[in-house]
Amino acid sequence: MRNKRFSIKFKLLAIFGSLVAISLFVLGLLAVNIAKRAVYEKIEIHLEDKVTDTAEIIGGRVLSFFQFLEGVARAPILRDEQASIKEKLRYLTNELSFNQNLYDIALMDTSGNFYHTKVNNINVSSQEWFQSAMRGENAVTDVIQAVVDSQLVITFAVPIRNDSNTIIGVLGAAVLAKWLTNAIKDIVVGETGYAYVISRHGRTLAHKDFDVVTNRLNMIDEGKKDPSIASLGNFLQRAIDSSTTGTGTYTYKGKTFIAAFAKIGNTGRSVIIQAPENEFMGTVRTLRVSSFWVGLIISCIALVVVY
């Protein structure tokens, strides 16, 4: 009888102990998952606001360059088809001094002949930015090598029109590629998160590690070759294809990142803001540990009561 009584006691301990443990485990798991979703929602809202503000700031700076160049392009001497190229270049050299961000400035005729104070006999008629300006559109390039000295630059181009509103040439100006990197390098998200800019084809145009820009890194192409970063390539492709702001996650070098993207005005370029997921999950980790210890204590108390 005694053995039977002990047998029933331990059976009750096993049954009730298991029920309590399972119940607490499920409740803890639900609490952690709910907390994780709530944190994710707040992070996504924060990143969307941050990336939208960043895109507007960069877009505003791009717009200011175009406004400056449009003002220069309306100068009477550039609209005067009788004025010599030498006179026009002298005027442009003087105007260049009024904008410290500009690295260089040049003039093109409708045939794409490139006029500059230092180089001659260059034709840029095959360049996409020149063709866009000749169609009457303002154009901005990705990071390219300058025609004059092979420096890495971003070129802006606007059409020059005469009094009859006919396009008679193109005005081009360049900023050093680091200008765009400097515009975003101070943006910090979480502890180590940062922003970067990609072209409409996925090439990196601005990054806190400028070597990424210098090496013309394209993570979409890299993702197609390396499965370990395929999710990053897919995320960037989504950023390029989307016309609205969005968020998502991807894996890179064994870490999971939370990121948001937004278009920079009507340039076709996108700014990305990202940070490691674990930098935002401190509260969730604390809740997970707390749930474990609370569950263990309650389980012990329940077993004592059942015993």
Side-chain angles (χ1 to χ4, degrees):
M1 189 69 179
R2 181 178 178 133
N3 291 336
K4 185 175 181 180
R5 190 167 59 248
F6 272 103
S7 154
I8 293 173
K9 180 185 294 184
F10 287 115
K11 284 180 181 178
L12 287 173
L13 285 173
I15 292 171
F16 283 101
S18 297
L19 287 174
V20 170
I22 292 171
S23 299
L24 291 173
F25 174 78
V26 172
L27 289 173
L29 191 63
L30 287 174
V32 169
N33 286 337
I34 291 171
K36 191 172 183 179
R37 283 200 299 271
V39 170
Y40 259 104
E41 288 175 2
K42 289 185 178 180
I43 294 169
E44 288 174 349
I45 292 172
H46 171 67
L47 289 180
E48 284 193 1
D49 290 342
K50 189 95 171 178
V51 79
T52 300
D53 291 343
T54 303
E56 288 177 354
I57 291 171
I58 298 173
R61 293 181 181 181
V62 170
L63 180 61
S64 70
F65 278 128
F66 280 130
Q67 290 173 337
F68 174 77
L69 290 181
E70 287 170 349
V72 174
R74 287 193 293 268
I77 191 170
L78 297 185
R79 295 159 63 94
D80 184 1
E81 297 180 70
Q82 304 304 317
S84 68
I85 294 296
K86 189 174 181 179
E87 290 175 316
K88 292 181 178 182
L89 289 178
R90 188 182 301 117
Y91 169 77
L92 290 179
T93 301
N94 183 59
E95 288 297 313
L96 183 64
S97 63
F98 290 108
N99 193 319
Q100 295 180 349
N101 288 314
L102 289 181
Y103 174 68
D104 207 354
I105 197 163
L107 188 67
M108 281 70 67
D109 62 22
T110 55
S111 298
N113 294 312
F114 185 90
Y115 298 104
H116 189 273
T117 56
K118 296 180 181 178
V119 297
N120 291 300
N121 302 320
I122 295 176
N123 189 282
V124 295
S125 59
S126 62
Q127 300 295 319
E128 183 181 349
W129 56 268
F130 172 79
Q131 295 171 1
S132 295
M134 284 300 298
R135 291 193 299 267
E137 304 167 0
N138 290 343
V140 58
T141 70
D142 294 339
V143 174
I144 61 174
Q145 284 190 320
V147 174
V148 177
D149 56 11
S150 298
Q151 279 274 16
L152 289 180
V153 298
I154 297 172
T155 296
F156 297 83
V158 298
I160 301 173
R161 302 175 185 269
N162 62 14
D163 293 336
S164 302
N165 206 35
T166 301
I167 296 175
I168 59 172
V170 172
L171 176 63
V175 297
L176 290 173
K178 277 194 173 181
W179 165 81
L180 187 54
T181 291
N182 290 337
I184 64 167
K185 70 178 183 180
D186 293 329
I187 295 173
V188 179
V189 182
E191 297 174 13
T192 62
Y194 56 88
Y196 56 96
V197 178
I198 60 173
S199 74
R200 65 190 66 174
H201 305 297
R203 181 172 290 172
T204 305
L205 304 180
H207 195 282
K208 70 172 187 176
D209 180 2
F210 194 67
D211 286 341
V212 175
V213 179
T214 303
N215 296 330
R216 312 290 183 88
L217 195 63
N218 187 320
M219 296 308 296
I220 294 178
D221 291 343
E222 295 297 318
K224 292 176 181 177
K225 295 182 289 186
D226 185 352
S228 67
I229 56 174
S231 62
L232 170 56
N234 293 335
F235 176 82
L236 296 181
Q237 188 63 60
R238 179 182 156 216
I240 291 170
D241 295 338
S242 178
S243 58
T244 58
T245 302
T247 59
T249 60
Y250 60 78
T251 303
Y252 180 66
K253 292 184 177 180
K255 290 184 179 181
T256 299
F257 290 83
I258 304 176
F261 57 80
K263 282 287 189 295
I264 301 174
N266 59 357
T267 65
R269 282 70 177 177
S270 302
V271 60
I272 315 293
I273 287 183
Q274 57 82 46
E277 178 189 62
N278 59 14
E279 292 183 4
F280 298 103
M281 293 299 157
T283 303
V284 176
R285 287 195 297 271
T286 301
L287 177 61
R288 186 182 291 117
V289 172
S290 299
S291 297
F292 171 78
W293 285 109
V294 170
L296 183 62
I297 292 170
I298 292 176
S299 296
C300 292
I301 294 173
L303 289 175
V304 169
V305 171
V306 171
Y307 183 84

